[in-house]
Amino acid sequence: MNAADNSEGAINEPSASTSNRSISLYRRLLSWLLIPLLALGTVLLVQAFLSARDAADRAYDRLLEASLVTIAEQVKWQDGQLWLDLPPAALEMLATDAQERVFYSLVDADGEQVTGNTRLPDANTLAAGPHASQEALGRSGELAFRDIAWQGQALRLGSLETRLGGWGDDPRHGQRFSIRVAHTREGREALTRELFSGSLIRIAGMAVLALLVVLIGVRLALSPLIRLRRAIRERDPRSLAPLNLSLPRELEELRNTLNELLARMRRVRVNQERFIGDASHQLRTPLAGLSAHAELALRNEDPAAWHAALKQMQATASHTAHLASQLLSLTRLNNPEVQPERVPLELSALARATVSRHFLRCDRAGVDLGLEIAAEIDNTAWTLGVAWQLEEGLANLIDNACKHGAHIVTLTLARVATTGDDETPESLAGRLILGVEDDGPGIQAERRLLVLRPFHRHAQPDSESAPATRGGAGLGLAIVDGIARHHDARLTLSDANIHTNANTHSGAHADAETVAVAGTETGITDTPRRGLRVSLYLEPCPPPASDDIEGGTAC
């Protein structure tokens, strides 16, 4: 039992601090096995008792039958009446060590008692009801047995209907009479207890053996789980190596699942280590630059040099703060335990607010920031999302476009046609498209998956006409990818064929070279650019009620 208790404790893993501890697998198996065994044992005990009582009744009924027959053989016709010379052995065979009391009675054909030590009823009459059994009625209705309560005592009564034997024409020959014998049940009950006690010893032995087999069997059956638990507990917390443990076929799937989890954790750890290393390198570079500019400024006594150093330090500090903000955003997006709940959002209002927030900054940088919303979904483009995440994703896309030399950046909002087309899968039909496109140099198709990795910077093509590119950390598209996953949205990168017209260009600060190229005799030139379009395909939802919007409930 100690080994079984130890195995129980090994399987029962919930901590003591848990208020409602779940039932261990060990106890469940014992319950499923022992409760049916207990029920079966109870049935066996009842059956053994009934069998013992039935055997005792059959044995004593045979003695009772022998007593009736012996007495009937001693009945004679004498002096004009029935005469019985009772043999002592006829009653002594029913008198056992239990000191039973035996009664007898001789009754003639008219039902009058001829002799006996008490007047007994007729067992045939008592058992002649519609539900009388064949055993009660005896053979051919002549012999019958019955349990009766007689003068405050429980008796077993036997009756025998027979005739006088004889020869010749004497009418007395064939005279009918009845022999009735009854005895108390002490002997029967003693025999029942003796037979039942033997069965009880055998059943108890079988029960103990079954209990030991169940305990040992459950312990052996759970031993692979105990070995698996020990192997996991004894592992180095820093080790993510797969489990090489021999287990039964039923537990191989659990081991394989654990190994798959460990493999995913290894990949996550590798990504985290690479992310931490890249982040440290990205933060170390501007901090070293700050230190170098400060050191140069301290060595120089010219105020103009101080001003230039402070200006450079301010730019470096601004870039470092932006990098730290992106790192924080990426860390929050990659932590599934702190993901905020998505609530109904109206995308056209969110798109207008985003363009309004970044318009002045883009205008000062010479970038034309515009907005295009499909008329049929204006003010009705509802989806489940997190406002600050979508705004941050759009801000990163706009910032990336500005840093990589775009002159025109357009934020678009439309709906995929429900019928679908050759370029859009049917699974995206009806979704809302929130995208940002620009007229920058774009990204080659084979490198578009790479730029979604943190700290991966896209190398610009070597071209004299390629616009100057300001430095970035390579986190913008990685953040957008994390936001898309949290919103169950599909993220796509494709070419954006933006056409600019010198006479109809809406930007206040059109590129001087573009305007010069467009200045022809007609004054109209359509100049295609490759550009890049980043699109988020969001699942729409019905507009919520006004109280749902205030409470932030889902669509």
Side-chain angles (χ1 to χ4, degrees):
M1 289 299 293
N2 293 335
D5 293 338
N6 292 336
S7 62
E8 174 191 347
I11 297 300
N12 197 1
E13 288 296 331
S15 61
S17 60
T18 305
S19 56
N20 296 325
R21 300 182 65 181
S22 59
I23 301 177
S24 67
L25 182 59
Y26 180 83
R27 292 183 179 179
R28 289 185 180 183
L29 287 176
L30 287 183
S31 300
W32 293 341
L33 293 174
L34 292 182
I35 290 178
L37 286 177
L38 180 62
L40 179 61
T42 303
V43 172
L44 290 177
L45 287 176
V46 173
Q47 182 64 30
F49 175 78
L50 295 178
S51 298
R53 188 178 63 179
D54 183 63
D57 284 340
R58 286 199 303 270
Y60 272 85
D61 284 348
R62 299 291 81 80
L63 293 177
L64 187 58
E65 179 182 359
S67 176
L68 290 170
V69 172
T70 301
I71 295 176
E73 291 176 350
Q74 302 300 320
V75 177
K76 301 177 181 178
W77 186 265
Q78 185 176 348
D79 299 333
Q81 63 179 0
L82 294 173
W83 180 265
L84 172 63
D85 186 10
L86 180 66
L91 299 182
E92 289 177 354
M93 66 177 62
L94 294 175
T96 63
D97 295 339
Q99 297 182 355
E100 292 177 286
R101 300 181 62 186
V102 182
F103 307 93
Y104 75 98
S105 175
L106 172 62
V107 180
D108 60 15
D110 297 329
E112 297 294 332
Q113 180 173 345
V114 177
T115 185
N117 55 8
T118 188
R119 186 176 182 86
L120 295 173
D122 185 8
N124 285 295
T125 304
L126 294 175
H131 302 291
S133 64
Q134 186 64 30
E135 180 185 2
L137 292 176
R139 295 189 296 270
S140 302
E142 297 179 355
L143 181 65
F145 303 100
R146 182 78 175 181
D147 290 324
I148 63 172
W150 183 257
Q151 297 180 355
Q153 302 178 82
L155 302 179
R156 182 67 170 176
L157 172 65
S159 297
L160 177 62
E161 296 285 343
T162 186
R163 298 173 182 269
L164 283 175
W167 297 268
D169 297 331
D170 191 344
R172 294 171 299 180
H173 297 161
Q175 178 72 30
R176 297 189 63 84
F177 64 92
S178 174
I179 301 295
R180 303 170 187 177
V181 178
H183 68 103
T184 55
R185 300 187 59 89
E186 288 86 352
R188 293 173 181 260
E189 294 174 354
L191 181 58
T192 299
R193 289 192 298 269
E194 183 179 354
L195 295 176
F196 178 69
S197 61
S199 300
L200 182 61
I201 293 175
R202 291 190 294 270
I203 293 176
M206 293 176 59
V208 172
L209 181 61
L211 178 61
L212 292 177
V213 170
V214 167
L215 292 177
I216 296 175
V218 170
R219 181 173 178 268
L220 293 178
L222 295 180
S223 59
L225 279 177
I226 298 173
R227 289 191 290 111
L228 179 61
R229 190 267 305 167
R230 289 176 180 172
I232 296 176
R233 176 172 292 180
E234 294 173 358
R235 285 170 63 90
D236 188 341
R238 297 167 296 180
S239 174
L240 296 178
L243 289 170
N244 295 322
L245 190 64
S246 177
L247 294 173
R249 183 176 55 187
E250 292 78 7
L251 294 178
E252 287 182 353
E253 184 176 353
L254 175 60
R255 182 195 59 193
N256 295 336
T257 303
L258 287 174
N259 287 336
E260 291 175 2
L261 176 61
L262 292 174
R264 291 196 299 268
M265 293 177 65
R266 286 197 301 272
R267 291 193 295 268
V268 170
R269 187 171 70 175
V270 170
N271 292 334
Q272 286 180 343
E273 290 176 351
R274 184 174 62 247
F275 177 81
I276 292 173
D278 292 340
S280 300
H281 176 73
Q282 294 291 333
L283 289 173
R284 181 180 59 187
T285 301
L287 292 176
L290 283 175
S291 177
H293 288 303
E295 185 177 355
L296 289 175
L298 290 174
R299 292 180 181 180
N300 202 324
E301 296 181 357
D302 185 5
W306 295 348
H307 184 273
L310 288 174
K311 186 176 180 180
Q312 186 65 33
M313 292 172 65
Q314 191 274 336
T316 304
S318 177
H319 172 73
T320 305
H322 179 67
L323 174 60
S325 177
Q326 285 187 319
L327 289 173
L328 179 61
S329 298
L330 192 60
T331 302
R332 287 196 297 174
L333 289 172
N334 290 333
N335 188 355
E337 297 182 358
V338 294
Q339 292 293 350
E341 182 182 1
R342 291 186 288 170
V343 297
L345 296 176
E346 208 288 303
L347 293 179
S348 59
L350 183 142
R352 288 190 177 91
T354 302
V355 171
S356 176
R357 185 176 300 108
H358 296 278
F359 182 79
L360 291 179
R361 180 173 62 86
C362 292
D363 186 63
R364 287 193 297 267
V367 177
D368 184 7
L369 179 61
L371 175 65
E372 292 182 3
I373 300 178
E376 66 272 12
I377 62 171
D378 194 9
N379 296 319
T380 60
W382 288 93
T383 188
L384 290 177
V386 182
W388 69 265
Q389 288 187 0
L390 292 176
E391 290 176 355
E392 185 168 357
L394 295 175
N396 278 279
L397 293 177
I398 294 173
D399 184 67
N400 275 2
C402 294
K403 286 182 177 179
H404 289 83
H407 300 291
I408 301 176
V409 179
T410 305
L411 195 156
T412 63
L413 178 61
R415 186 193 297 271
V416 180
T418 55
T419 56
D421 51 37
D422 295 338
E423 298 181 357
T424 305
E426 294 184 1
S427 60
L428 300 179
R431 287 202 176 193
L432 300 172
I433 310 175
L434 183 62
V436 174
E437 60 182 5
D438 60 65
D439 63 342
I443 302 176
Q444 295 91 341
E446 63 273 9
R447 299 187 61 85
R448 287 171 183 167
L449 288 178
L450 296 177
V451 299
L452 299 179
R453 297 179 181 177
F455 302 108
H456 183 89
R457 297 180 181 178
H458 175 58
Q460 298 294 348
D462 296 333
S463 175
E464 295 179 358
S465 61
T469 302
R470 285 167 282 182
L475 293 176
L477 288 176
I479 293 175
V480 175
D481 182 49
I483 293 172
R485 289 197 304 270
H486 181 233
H487 286 78
D488 298 327
R490 179 171 178 177
L491 177 66
T492 63
L493 279 69
S494 59
D495 293 334
N497 294 321
I498 295 182
H499 298 267
T500 61
N501 187 286
N503 286 353
T504 60
H505 191 270
S506 59
H509 298 277
D511 181 48
E513 293 182 4
T514 303
V515 175
V517 172
T520 62
E521 294 179 357
T522 59
I524 301 176
T525 299
D526 200 16
T527 307
R529 301 191 179 195
R530 181 179 183 183
L532 178 68
R533 176 178 178 83
V534 182
S535 303
L536 285 172
Y537 291 83
L538 298 163
E539 188 72 32
C541 73
S546 58
D547 53 348
D548 292 336
I549 299 176
E550 294 176 359
T553 58
C555 294

